[in-house]
Amino acid sequence: MPNPPLTEAVYYILLSLLTPLHGYGVMQRVEELSSGRVRLAAGTLYGAITSLLDRGWICALPENGRKKEYVVTRAGRAALLEEHRRLRELYENGAKLLEDQV
Amino acid sequence: MKKTVRRLFPVWAFEEEEQWLRNMAEDGYVLTGVGWCRYEFEEREPCSHDVALDLLEYAPAAPESVRYISFLEEAGWEYVGSVLRWAYFRRKREGEAAALYSDSASRVKYLTRALRLIALVGGLNLMIGGCNLTLYGLNGLAVSLLGLVNIALAVLCGYGAGKVRKKKQDLEREENRFQ
């Protein structure tokens, strides 16, 4: 069964964790990726990270004295690709029909 | 300059409490300590800090809460202290005002935790009040009057829970509008 559509926050968190990052790094990367439009608050990010860890879509890297870092797992990457395909379909259909009208 | 204020907020008025703490920070009084109905402030630049209130899922000393608090600290929040499971945070303002939650889904979870707490406090008062009233014959008038106070508190909790529930439902409706 396909995954339900991801929320904007989860999509951006997964995208930013294609390379390992700690929590604050995720907040900065998401803001940067969305040109300042999506600003995740720390409590919201913590809840999202906890549920992504539970789903096995991200994992925590072994700590070496620094802040805890996370990275996308294979399952997380598959979910991200699936969402990317869905968004592309939405975008392409929108472009086809809307641009005809302009 | 330090300032201590004693103030009681009912269990359901956590948003009013947070707003009051934010107003204090805007007036230049930043929260530095908390206790039972007691708030300590220090005078700083007006609007230099944001203040936030959160309801922890576990006791403040539990490893889950320690992990959560240190995550918030890494993100720039300072932990001021806690009363039972209510935790108080402050943060030096950089640019726009900051909050702990930025989407409806996480705010709904926060309100759900608060509702559970209000239900617990209300339920306990109802139970104790019921016991005190039914034991009238054994314990005399004073205890049964105390029972009436408990029942009144339980009714107030019910009223408060209704208000919080309405807020939660509005958020959920907003989130599911197009689903």
Side-chain angles (χ1 to χ4, degrees), chain A residues 16-76:
Chain A
S16 64
L17 286 177
L18 285 171
T19 50
L21 275 178
H22 54 77
Y24 188 54
V26 174
M27 290 166 76
Q28 289 175 314
R29 179 76 60 85
V30 169
E31 200 174 330
E32 204 180 280
L33 282 171
S34 66
S35 310
R37 191 179 59 83
V38 180
R39 301 182 69 204
L40 290 175
T44 296
L45 175 64
Y46 187 83
I49 285 183
T50 312
S51 57
L52 287 171
L53 284 170
D54 287 346
R55 272 185 178 214
W57 286 5
I58 62 170
C59 64
L61 294 174
E63 277 177 86
N64 50 2
R66 293 179 307 157
K67 295 170 184 171
K68 192 180 253 181
E69 290 192 323
Y70 306 89
V71 74
V72 161
T73 60
R74 197 177 291 186

Side-chain angles (χ1 to χ4, degrees), chain A residues 7 9 22-24 27 39-49 51 66-68 70, chain B residues 54 64 67-68 71-72 74-77 91 94 96-97 99-103 106-107 109:
Chain A
T7 63
H22 54 77
Y24 188 54
M27 290 166 76
R39 301 182 69 204
L40 290 175
T44 296
L45 175 64
Y46 187 83
I49 285 183
S51 57
R66 293 179 307 157
K67 295 170 184 171
K68 192 180 253 181
Y70 306 89
Chain B
D54 202 356
E64 290 86 351
R67 264 202 297 277
Y68 177 57
F71 185 92
L72 294 186
E74 279 172 20
W77 287 93
R91 180 194 174 100
E94 296 155 357
E96 286 174 47
L100 279 183
Y101 296 111
S102 54
D103 66 6
S106 51
R107 256 180 245 130
K109 279 189 187 160

